[in-house]
Amino acid sequence: MSDNQIAYLLDPEIATIRKVQLSTVNFYKSIKLALGHDVVDCTKFDEKHLIFFDDNGLKEGITHYVSIKSLPDPYVGKIIFAAGNIEWTAPKISMSDILKRLTCYHSVLDPIVETSARTHGNVTSYISAVAGFKARIVPFEIKIQ
């Protein structure tokens, strides 16, 4: 058995998925380091793969989330896709096949602009001001590195 295992790291903050090496000797420590969190949870992605994620990710003030087909909860932050068998040196699924099963979303603020007109003689002046913002959630694409 190798001392390292290849996994895939999805990083929605920079909209990428890439290969990472995890230590099979200190597997959970390397997972925590790759995710940047100490409180990590795990669930099945499919019959052969697991996902690891920040267990405390769903909190106030999130800027994005990931929805994975067939899994009920949204996920926030980095996600590791790993082989379900520590004896395997890499996942048995491609990064592009993983991306087919998920959608990443982020929030967008659209300004609400109010315009008023004032007429003085033959001259009309238009004044625009931001009256607020309207929020919406939109999907975004993840690139394979």
Side-chain angles (χ1 to χ4, degrees), residues 5-12 16-22 27 31 34-35 45-46 48-53 77-83 89-99 102 142-145:
Q5 183 188 79
I6 299 295
Y8 305 139
L9 177 67
L10 175 78
D11 188 342
T16 62
I17 187 169
R18 63 182 172 88
K19 290 180 182 179
V20 292
Q21 280 197 355
L22 302 175
F27 188 69
I31 292 279
L35 291 176
F45 177 68
D46 60 21
K48 297 181 181 178
H49 301 93
L50 301 171
I51 62 169
F52 296 88
F53 54 94
K78 295 176 185 174
I79 302 171
I80 290 178
F81 297 84
T89 58
K92 304 293 184 190
I93 188 171
S94 70
M95 286 185 272
S96 60
D97 284 341
I98 287 172
L99 293 179
L102 58 86
I142 297 291
K143 303 283 186 201
I144 296 174
Q145 278 190 334

Side-chain angles (χ1 to χ4, degrees), residues 1-5 22-25:
M1 181 169 84
S2 171
D3 285 349
N4 291 308
Q5 183 188 79
L22 302 175
S23 167
T24 55
V25 176

Side-chain angles (χ1 to χ4, degrees), residues 22 34 43 65 74-76 81 93 99 106 114 116 126 131 137 142-143:
L22 302 175
T43 192
Y65 69 94
Y75 300 88
V76 177
F81 297 84
I93 188 171
L99 293 179
H106 64 161
E114 292 182 353
S116 61
Y126 295 93
I137 305 297
I142 297 291
K143 303 283 186 201

Side-chain angles (χ1 to χ4, degrees), residues 11-79:
D11 188 342
E13 290 286 330
I14 57 173
T16 62
I17 187 169
R18 63 182 172 88
K19 290 180 182 179
V20 292
Q21 280 197 355
L22 302 175
S23 167
T24 55
V25 176
N26 294 310
F27 188 69
Y28 291 103
K29 183 178 180 181
S30 64
I31 292 279
K32 289 177 182 183
L33 286 171
L35 291 176
H37 294 282
D38 286 329
V39 183
V40 174
D41 203 350
C42 175
T43 192
K44 279 186 161 186
F45 177 68
D46 60 21
E47 310 80 43
K48 297 181 181 178
H49 301 93
L50 301 171
I51 62 169
F52 296 88
F53 54 94
D54 174 11
D55 191 42
N56 292 328
L58 288 171
K59 58 185 177 198
E60 287 188 25
I62 62 173
T63 59
H64 66 277
Y65 69 94
V66 178
S67 177
I68 300 174
K69 290 178 187 160
S70 79
L71 297 178
D73 293 326
Y75 300 88
V76 177
K78 295 176 185 174
I79 302 171

